Structures are given as structure tokens and as C-alpha cells.
Amino acid sequence: MTTNMSGSSSSSRTAVSPSLLVSIVAAPWLSAIVSVRAAGSFLEQLGIASEEMFRGDRLPVLHFADTDGEGLDSGSTDPASDLY
């Protein structure tokens, strides 16, 4: 190890400045943040689209009786048969 005129020791390794490290690390962090936001927006839009596509697809058709009491009864005594 050698000492220079100011009295500090110099080593064979070169010190990397903190500003250079920050600039190297900043680009991947910013791209990760943008990617996560874009993925979240995409998944939200995908959820809305799938909700619209399957809206009412699995709901049964409900037959409501008329207000005068006649209804849609075909003479069957099974209330479940009116649903289909």
C-alpha cells in the first residue's frame, strides 16, 4: 500500500461514485414501477371485460306471476317446474 502526498492511502480498487450508482439503479426501478402500473391497469380492464361478457349468463330465468293471480302456472303442483 502506498501513501500519497495528502497522507491518505490508495488501493488498487477504484471507488464508484454514489451518483453513478444511483443513475445505474434508477432506470430499472422506474421501468419496474411503470410495468407494475401497466399490468394493474391491464388486469383491471380484463376483469371489467370478463364481467361484461358473463353478465347474466348463469342466472336463471325468473317467471313472475301476473297481478291478477293467474300467473304462468300450467296446472302442475311442483313449484320448481315453473322455473324451467
Side-chain angles (χ1 to χ4, degrees):
M1 201 178 283
T2 60
T3 54
N4 59 13
M5 300 274 252
S6 64
S8 64
S9 63
S10 64
S11 66
S12 61
R13 294 190 297 176
T14 304
V16 179
S17 69
S19 62
L20 179 63
L21 289 176
V22 168
S23 64
I24 290 172
V25 173
W29 272 100
L30 290 175
S31 64
I33 290 171
V34 169
S35 299
V36 167
R37 292 184 82 187
S41 176
F42 171 74
L43 290 175
E44 182 180 1
Q45 293 300 320
L46 182 66
I48 291 170
S50 67
E51 184 178 334
E52 289 296 322
M53 185 169 57
F54 292 117
R55 181 190 300 192
D57 187 37
R58 299 183 185 187
L59 297 174
V61 177
L62 299 177
H63 301 286
F64 292 103
D66 293 335
T67 56
D68 58 1
E70 293 177 14
L72 297 174
D73 191 14
S74 60
S76 149
T77 58
D78 184 19
S81 67
D82 288 340
L83 294 177
Y84 301 105

